[in-house]
């Protein structure tokens, strides 16, 4: 069953992130001492700067950045 069939919102996760939200998240991730936030910060910066959806960034490889 998909979201439409179950009556769930089709807009979930599709609202744009404001620049202020981005700056706050990026700063918190950058300042964190947790080991897993390095990846999260890098992913956030790539996703926001490429104006891409998360699933598009997941499949990105280093050769695509060159």
């Amino acid at each position: 069953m998909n979201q439409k069939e179950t009556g769930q919102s089709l807009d979930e996760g599709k609202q744009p992130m404001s620049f202020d939200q981005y700056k706050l998240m990026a700063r918190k991730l950058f300042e964190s001492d947790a080991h897993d936030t390095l990846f999260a910060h890098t992913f956030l910066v790539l996703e926001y700067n490429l104006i891409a959806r998360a699933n598009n960034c997941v499949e990105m490889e280093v050769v695509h950045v060159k």
Side-chain angles (χ1 to χ4, degrees), residues 12-59:
E12 182 179 335
K14 297 180 181 173
Q15 298 300 319
M17 180 187 305
S18 72
F19 188 63
D20 288 334
Q21 291 170 325
Y22 163 74
K23 288 190 305 185
L24 176 64
M25 288 180 63
R27 186 177 69 243
K28 293 291 184 182
L29 288 170
F30 185 75
E31 293 172 349
S32 174
D33 292 332
H35 295 288
D36 57 349
T37 58
L38 175 62
F39 174 79
H41 180 265
T42 304
F43 189 85
L44 174 68
V45 171
L46 283 172
E47 181 181 24
Y48 195 86
N49 285 297
L50 293 173
I51 309 175
R53 300 218 183 259
N55 60 343
N56 293 339
C57 289
V58 167
E59 297 176 12

